[in-house]
Amino acid sequence: MDLGLSGRRALICGGSKGLGFAAAQALAREGVDLVLVSRTAEALEQAARQIVDETGVKVTTVAADLSLADAPATVLAACPDPDILVCNPGVRQTPDDFRTMSRADWDFWMEAHYFGPLELIRAIVPGMCERKFGRVVNISVSNIKFPQVNFAHSHSARVGLAGAIASMVRELVPHNVVINSVLPGFIDTDALRTNLHAHAKRGNTTYEAIVADRIKMTPANRFAAPSECGDLIAYLCSAQIGFMTGQNIVIDGGVYQGLF
């Protein structure tokens, strides 16, 4: 399927690795020029070279830490008018005890998983409305459907963003601007492997045992390749998706058992 995106421009947050990079690859194959944002300049340049070599699209990089309050301004200065925005905090969620977290700890997660993406969305969608085309995809996590113990800080920020998005979309869709969220489960990225190693250490068990346990709880009986999520994100940016907005789409191999 031709997604109707050739010649468009996408701003991809967390674009040097993992799901952000997978989304960037998928969009580049559709002829989309890219602005990649991540904290580490070296990783960004490596990602950009790989995508240019594979697809020939134009790739610009911006080194910025989106967990910092001034980062959205830096990003917007480099790319004020994208056709596509992929919000991906690029901050790996880690467990913590809500009883002992400080206000500063909570503020960090709200900045990374709520205010950072929200500020980008708020700044970019007015221009999309004027141009009568805009696609925003927010990368969240499947666990916002069933928040987990010791993740109140991260999951509450992400749920808050989902609520804000749900309130915005009806004002935007008449202008052919839509926002949808992807809620990944176990995707085989560096971030997942790092998390599982940490789980193994905390549980005094092996990494292999933790992986086997997570695969056992996944009806698909495997982890997903990042490209599977990247391709979904690309479709959610397509010209064909203009009638679907405000959705939270779980991609987790069947782990989540709810209807809604």
Side-chain angles (χ1 to χ4, degrees), residues 26 66-67 81 104 111 118 121 140 153 160-161 165 182 201 215 221 228:
L66 288 169
S67 69
D81 57 353
E111 195 65 53
L118 179 65
I121 293 169
S140 185
H153 49 292
L161 182 61
I165 288 170
V182 171
K201 184 176 181 180
I215 290 177
N221 200 36
E228 294 177 81

Side-chain angles (χ1 to χ4, degrees), residues 150-171:
N150 290 332
F151 287 94
H153 49 292
S154 171
H155 294 170
S156 61
R158 293 179 189 260
V159 169
L161 182 61
I165 288 170
S167 178
M168 297 174 188
V169 293
R170 290 159 188 82
E171 297 180 73

Side-chain angles (χ1 to χ4, degrees), residues 181-210:
S181 295
V182 171
L183 278 52
F186 295 125
I187 314 293
D188 192 14
T189 62
D190 288 343
L192 175 65
R193 290 188 286 273
T194 299
N195 276 342
L196 295 185
H197 276 291
H199 279 299
K201 184 176 181 180
R202 286 192 300 271
N204 196 29
T205 186
T206 66
Y207 172 75
E208 291 74 18
I210 289 289

Side-chain angles (χ1 to χ4, degrees), residues 8-13 32-37 58-64 66 71-86 119-125 127-128 131 135:
R8 297 287 187 184
R9 191 184 195 199
L11 174 59
I12 313 289
C13 301
V32 177
D33 292 329
L34 306 174
V35 177
L36 303 182
V37 180
K58 181 181 178 180
V59 182
T60 304
T61 63
V62 180
L66 288 169
T74 300
V75 172
L76 291 168
C79 186
D81 57 353
D83 304 297
I84 294 164
L85 169 63
V86 178
E119 288 305 306
L120 288 176
I121 293 169
R122 290 176 62 238
I124 286 171
V125 294
M128 290 178 167
R131 297 187 298 275
R135 300 291 184 262

Side-chain angles (χ1 to χ4, degrees), residues 43 64 93 148 185 251:
Q93 62 179 17
Q148 303 295 292
I251 174 170

